[in-house]
Amino acid sequence: MKAIGIKTTTLTPFCYHSLMVQSGTATLPELIGDRAMAFALAATLGMLAARGALPAKDYAGHLQIMPFRTSVFTTTEPRLLPPLVRRLNLDAEAGLKEKIQNVANKSNLKAFFLTQEVPPAQTFTGAVFGFDPFAVTEQRELVVRIGLHRNGMVKLEPAPVEKVRLNAATAALFGRELAVERYLLHGLQLTAPLSLADAAQETAQWQLT
């Protein structure tokens, strides 16, 4: 399976509700998840169906039909911007029902809560396997959208990459069991660094039977 090394550069800040922390949520600054990158790239390439609402979650089924697989994209210099106050507009979106207000007031995402975003100009490296998006589009670089509400913009360009990490949780969706070096979240379990050839050989087996 073909392996394309990629460097990504953040053009605008982005965040995720990765971890619950006091008065808000925290983003994992050292990586962009493989699934996030897969769906972001698919959207940029026009592979996602136009919908008024999100379909039922089916990571294995959705990833299966994409003509590529992705590694986790990592950085050796993780950074976050200072905490940013956000407002959860529950009164307008859900009304002032007592049940909803009680749940909100006991959670991390109250009417006002904090997030921290990955700043612009951060670089991450990873790889796409089985498909060269730059050759197909005849572009030297691509821009994808990631993060909450796809508010973040990230530039992708080909680059020499020696080793990447795969997500063992994604491999498990296809019945593959990989050793985990770092457990971050249930859906983000990082393998040890692999050469692009070894990673390509492994991801070629990520197929539903």
Side-chain angles (χ1 to χ4, degrees):
M1 179 178 278
K2 181 186 298 184
I4 309 298
I6 293 177
K7 181 181 81 170
T8 70
T9 305
T10 54
L11 303 178
T12 62
F14 72 87
C15 68
Y16 285 103
H17 293 319
S18 301
L19 300 171
M20 294 293 111
V21 298
Q22 185 175 5
S23 300
T25 61
T27 302
L28 295 172
E30 67 266 41
L31 58 83
I32 298 173
D34 61 316
R35 300 178 196 176
M37 186 58 71
F39 283 97
L41 183 57
T44 291
L45 296 175
M47 295 179 179
L48 301 189
R51 295 176 178 269
L54 291 174
K57 186 181 292 185
D58 178 16
Y59 282 131
H62 294 152
L63 293 171
Q64 163 78 11
I65 61 176
M66 294 181 189
F68 55 82
R69 300 291 182 260
T70 51
S71 75
V72 177
F73 283 68
T74 58
T75 181
T76 57
E77 298 181 357
R79 292 174 54 224
L80 287 173
L81 293 171
L84 179 67
V85 177
R86 295 180 180 270
R87 182 172 187 267
L88 189 63
N89 196 14
L90 273 180
D91 52 349
E93 297 183 9
L96 297 173
K97 297 179 181 179
E98 183 178 359
K99 179 179 179 180
I100 293 174
Q101 295 299 318
N102 286 342
V103 171
N105 291 334
K106 295 176 183 177
S107 73
N108 289 67
L109 304 181
K110 298 179 174 60
F112 292 93
F113 62 96
L114 302 176
T115 63
Q116 280 188 273
E117 298 176 312
V118 174
Q122 278 291 93
T123 60
F124 301 79
T125 57
V128 171
F129 306 102
F131 178 91
D132 187 343
F134 306 103
V136 170
T137 59
E138 299 182 343
Q139 300 293 322
R140 290 184 293 180
E141 57 187 42
L142 297 168
V143 174
V144 302
R145 304 192 72 104
I146 63 173
L148 291 179
H149 312 296
R150 299 179 64 203
N151 281 342
M153 299 177 66
V154 177
K155 180 177 69 174
L156 279 58
E157 52 192 332
V161 176
E162 293 186 0
K163 291 182 179 292
V164 296
R165 294 178 185 267
L166 298 181
N167 184 357
T170 300
L173 297 176
F174 299 100
R176 300 289 296 169
E177 185 173 336
L178 302 182
V180 176
E181 184 176 81
R182 292 188 63 203
Y183 185 104
L184 299 175
L185 301 169
H186 177 70
L188 267 175
Q189 303 177 35
L190 307 189
T191 66
L194 302 171
S195 69
L196 260 62
D198 288 342
Q201 183 177 12
E202 169 58 37
T203 55
Q205 300 178 72
W206 293 5
Q207 304 290 335
L208 293 175
T209 56

